[in-house]
Amino acid sequence: MSIVVTGATGNLGRLVVQGLLETVPAEQITAVVRSKDKGAGFEARGLRIAIADYNAPETFDGLFSAGDKALLISSSEMAQDRVAQHKVVIDAARASGVALLAYTSATGTHDAPLAEAHRGTEKVLVESGLPYVLLRNNWYSEMFVDGLERVIEHGVIVRAAGEGRIASATRADYAAAAVAVLTGEGHENRAYELSGDHAWNFAEFAAELGRQAGKEIVYTPVGVEAYVDLMVAAGMPGLYAEILAGAEASFAKGELAGTNGDLSRLTGRPTTPIAHTIAAALQQS
């Protein structure tokens, strides 16, 4: 029996593998990677490496074994049919008799184009008959601290989130929850709404950033269409700008504000405050 992690070389996957190594022997972990080179670091630590690609169903043939527990980390290829990609993994897991398949989904209240593939994948997984766990992750706090140098330089944060609050958490927080599910018992056929312990809005984010940077930062809310235009003007492809704008609309409606405590209960510790994520980003800049 192995614990299998797909997308193991991604930002979240690496943290999951790291957490598993602190809990189970390396030889019980299988890291699914796209190439041998990408998996070299894992192999050196004693993990089993499996080379497979969501876009190539045949690469998952025989990858799983009966009794395995597995984590399907959702695809980040927005231009692809992500439900079809995920179904490749689900079908292979079902054919092999996997004991548990956990999936990194999106918050259940998130009603935006970005979440559509997650809802579709959840349906496929539930209907597969496999014992499943839906890890409905809120947004990663790290996604809000990219490019802080430019924000500080200009003294302004421009978003289309209105006064909406976001209960984000760090990748390390969500990875710890995945590890708890993969190494624990009694999680079958459950959906966890995973979020930070405290929700924040961009006015508060700007104030905290300004406090830490020693410079006034102003939050300037704009409409969704204006936000798309700004992102495209900055060089972002239209498809991605529309996807992000849909998320901003969800923020504004409070769809990502829930703080039910599932994440801290699974990990056994408080989630990481947004102030800590800002501080870490400033130290690295």
Side-chain angles (χ1 to χ4, degrees):
M1 190 274 286
S2 184
I3 297 177
V4 183
V5 180
T6 73
T9 57
N11 290 326
L12 180 62
R14 286 188 178 276
L15 290 169
V16 172
V17 170
Q18 179 179 317
L20 287 172
L21 283 169
E22 296 171 1
T23 309
V24 299
E27 60 269 20
Q28 291 183 15
I29 306 168
T30 298
V32 181
V33 299
R34 285 192 171 186
S35 70
K36 189 171 180 62
D37 288 344
K38 285 182 175 293
F42 291 141
E43 201 166 26
R45 300 182 71 179
L47 280 70
R48 173 179 173 245
I49 303 302
I51 300 171
D53 189 319
Y54 294 158
N55 298 305
E58 68 280 2
T59 61
F60 279 90
D61 291 345
L63 190 151
F64 298 105
S65 298
D68 282 350
K69 291 184 177 181
L71 175 65
L72 167 54
I73 294 181
S74 57
S75 168
S76 60
E77 296 179 310
M78 300 300 174
Q80 297 291 331
D81 183 344
R82 294 197 293 158
V83 176
Q85 289 181 316
H86 300 155
K87 188 174 183 298
V88 166
V89 182
I90 293 168
D91 287 347
R94 178 176 57 186
S96 298
V98 165
L100 183 73
L101 181 58
Y103 170 66
T104 59
S105 190
T107 304
T109 55
H110 194 186
D111 184 19
L114 185 64
E116 290 176 0
H118 293 299
R119 300 288 88 84
T121 300
E122 287 188 4
K123 184 174 185 294
V124 172
L125 179 52
V126 171
E127 291 179 352
S128 73
L130 278 169
Y132 65 85
V133 182
L134 305 178
L135 299 172
R136 290 175 171 163
N137 294 345
N138 202 307
W139 274 58
Y140 301 145
S141 294
E142 291 90 343
M143 299 185 73
F144 300 104
V145 297
D146 285 341
L148 285 188
E149 300 92 342
R150 294 190 300 275
V151 172
I152 294 170
E153 177 185 355
H154 296 290
V156 62
I157 293 175
V158 180
R159 309 287 300 219
E163 298 179 1
R165 307 185 76 80
I166 307 159
S168 67
T170 63
R171 290 188 179 94
D173 292 329
Y174 295 120
V179 170
V181 164
L182 292 169
T183 59
E185 301 295 336
H187 301 290
E188 292 84 356
N189 302 332
R190 297 189 63 175
Y192 292 107
E193 297 290 343
L194 303 180
S195 62
D197 294 333
H198 303 285
W200 51 270
N201 61 31
F202 279 105
E204 295 167 346
F205 183 99
E208 179 61 29
L209 175 59
R211 184 188 70 79
Q212 293 194 32
K215 177 180 179 179
E216 182 181 11
I217 308 294
V218 177
Y219 168 48
T220 301
V222 298
V224 170
E225 291 184 6
Y227 186 76
V228 171
D229 291 341
L230 285 170
M231 294 299 100
V232 172
M236 181 177 290
L239 170 64
Y240 292 96
E242 292 285 352
I243 289 172
L244 289 182
E248 295 284 314
S250 290
F251 298 157
K253 290 185 287 187
E255 293 176 359
L256 283 298
T259 55
N260 69 359
D262 274 0
L263 181 51
S264 54
R265 279 191 292 272
L266 274 175
T267 62
R269 59 171 175 76
T271 61
T272 308
I274 190 65
H276 290 197
T277 306
I278 292 172
L282 291 178
Q283 288 174 1
Q284 294 173 4
S285 62

